[in-house]
């Protein structure tokens, strides 16, 4: 999740003596017990710091980090669109299913191991836009593709979580496939990436 303006709930927590931190400034759904924050020094940078937090009573306590993260090659933006190279600013859930080219590393979420012919749809004109689709190996997808299928990038996608950006509802062209995945040595196309060991720690947590 990326930082959002301070909420009324956060202001109330601070009034109760909770420490001021990145998690306490977020507007989070009631009942949330874990949070991830990603903070960038400017909207143009491709570097960020990721931290994990746990709820402790009415306050938020650090659970790990900061971990060195990379974001989009064009920085971060609140009003992003498909292909602009930015990571979205806002507060988002982590989707209920995690994925990866490697076997389940021990996550508590549902886990789906990807293979040849598995795609995340980036075609804004497709009814399947911004969803996972298992087409099958060697079969031409029924949607336009501009990148290889998920199985072809084992460096970025040994394991990954889906950030629920543009999913509830899906708006054609707003953006697709925003993941928390492993670093590749360069900025992302809009995802958030971590060194593989840090990614494993966060996903297992």
């Amino acid at each position: 999740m990326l930082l959002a303006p301070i909420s009324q709930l956060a202001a109330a927590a601070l009034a109760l003596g909770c420490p001021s931190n990145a998690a306490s400034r977020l507007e989070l759904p009631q009942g949330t017990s874990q949070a991830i924050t990603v903070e960038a020094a400017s909207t143009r940078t491709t570097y960020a710091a990721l931290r994990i937090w746990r709820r402790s009573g009415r306050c938020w306590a650090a659970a790990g980090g900061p971990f060195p993260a990379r974001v989009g090659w064009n920085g971060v933006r609140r009003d992003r669109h498909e292909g602009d190279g930015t990571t979205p600013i806002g507060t988002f859930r982590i989707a209920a299913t995690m994925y990866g080219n490697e076997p389940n590393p021990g996550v508590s979420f549902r886990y789906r191991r990807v293979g040849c012919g598995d795609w995340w749809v980036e075609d804004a004109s497709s009814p399947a836009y911004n969803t996972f689709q298992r087409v099958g190996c060697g079969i031409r997808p029924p949607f336009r593709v501009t990148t290889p299928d998920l199985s072809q990038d084992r460096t970025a996608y040994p394991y990954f979580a889906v950030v629920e950006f543009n999913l509830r509802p899906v708006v054609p062209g707003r953006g697709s496939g925003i993941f928390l995945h492993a670093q590749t040595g360069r900025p992302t196309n809009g995802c958030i990436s971590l060194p593989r060991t840090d990614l494993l720690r966060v996903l297992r947590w």
Side-chain angles (χ1 to χ4, degrees):
M1 301 179 208
L2 296 175
L3 282 182
I6 189 166
S7 67
Q8 290 183 343
L9 289 176
L14 294 175
L16 290 170
C18 295
S20 177
N21 56 44
S24 72
R25 296 193 298 272
L26 290 174
E27 179 73 66
L28 298 172
Q30 192 167 11
T32 301
S33 61
Q34 293 177 299
I36 300 170
T37 60
V38 182
E39 296 178 90
S42 75
T43 58
R44 300 298 298 175
T45 186
T46 67
Y47 293 88
L50 184 146
R51 291 176 172 85
I52 54 178
W53 307 87
R54 60 178 176 80
R55 188 181 290 279
S56 178
R58 296 187 180 183
C59 303
W60 286 95
F67 304 114
R70 299 301 301 271
V71 292
W73 53 263
N74 204 18
V76 299
R77 182 179 298 168
R78 190 172 299 279
D79 184 22
R80 79 175 309 276
H81 57 81
E82 187 72 46
D84 70 2
T86 65
T87 298
I89 295 173
T91 304
F92 313 102
R93 295 177 184 269
I94 296 294
T97 301
M98 293 181 179
Y99 301 83
N101 280 286
E102 303 295 330
N104 187 338
V107 301
S108 297
F109 285 55
R110 290 197 303 269
Y111 186 83
R112 175 173 284 179
R113 190 172 183 182
V114 301
C116 177
D118 287 347
W119 303 84
W120 199 273
V121 182
E122 302 171 320
D123 180 0
S125 66
S126 170
Y129 180 58
N130 203 20
T131 65
F132 173 87
Q133 295 293 316
R134 176 158 282 170
V135 176
C137 195
I139 299 173
R140 184 182 179 89
F143 42 80
R144 182 177 56 84
V145 299
T146 57
T147 57
D149 73 28
L150 295 168
S151 72
Q152 299 303 305
D153 196 342
R154 302 182 72 87
T155 301
Y157 303 141
Y159 328 97
F160 64 95
V162 178
V163 178
E164 287 197 345
F165 170 77
N166 195 29
L167 282 175
R168 298 170 186 252
V170 175
V171 178
R174 189 176 180 211
S176 61
I178 303 299
F179 305 145
L180 174 59
H181 65 70
Q183 286 184 356
T184 62
R186 58 183 183 273
T188 71
N189 286 326
C191 296
I192 303 150
S193 67
L194 289 174
R196 181 168 171 152
T197 55
D198 295 334
L199 176 68
L200 275 172
R201 178 177 175 181
V202 171
L203 296 187
R204 285 170 175 160
W205 173 80

